[in-house]
Amino acid sequence: MSGEALALLSCLLIGHFLGDFTPLATARMQEAKASGGPQLPIIAHAGVHAAFTGIAVLLVARPTLDLLAIAVAIQFASHWALDAFRARVGLQAPALSDPSNNAFWTALGLDQLVHALVLLGIASLVV
C-alpha cells in the first residue's frame, strides 16, 4: 500500500470515527437508527459521512471531480443503506439492539467492519 493510500485510508477512518462516535452523530440520528426511522436523520447521518469522505479525498488524493463524486456517492449510499438495514434488522431481532446482549456487539462489530471495508474500497478506487 502506498503512502498516499495509507494516508487516505487513515483520514477516511478518522472521519468515520468522527461521524459515528462524537456529537456529530446527534441523538436524533441515533434514535432513528435504533428505531428504524424516520429516514431523514439517517440520511443526514450518511451525509455527514459523505462530507468527511469528500474532505479526505480532496485533501489527500486531489482527484478529478468525477472520481470525487463517485467516492462521495459510494460513501453516502453505502452508509445510508447499511445503517437503515441494521435498524430494520434490529426491529426484527430486538437482541441486536440491546447492548447487554452479546448479539448486539457482534452486530455492531460486523456493521463497523463492513463500513471499514467500504472505506478501503474507496481508498483503493481513488489512489
Side-chain angles (χ1 to χ4, degrees), residues 18-61:
L18 293 172
D20 267 1
F21 299 104
T22 70
L24 293 172
T26 66
R28 185 159 160 76
M29 291 172 183
Q30 296 293 359
E31 290 166 9
K33 286 170 48 176
S35 66
Q39 285 298 302
L40 193 55
I42 300 172
I43 291 168
H45 177 70
V48 169
H49 283 277
F52 276 121
T53 295
I55 291 166
V57 168
L58 274 173
L59 290 176
V60 176

Side-chain angles (χ1 to χ4, degrees), residues 49-94:
H49 283 277
F52 276 121
T53 295
I55 291 166
V57 168
L58 274 173
L59 290 176
V60 176
R62 297 186 203 103
T64 64
L65 267 172
D66 289 347
L67 195 52
L68 174 64
I70 290 167
V72 169
I74 289 170
Q75 176 65 333
F76 176 79
S78 68
H79 208 94
W80 179 20
L82 288 167
D83 284 2
F85 174 76
R86 183 157 184 251
R88 282 192 299 268
V89 169
L91 291 174
Q92 300 297 319

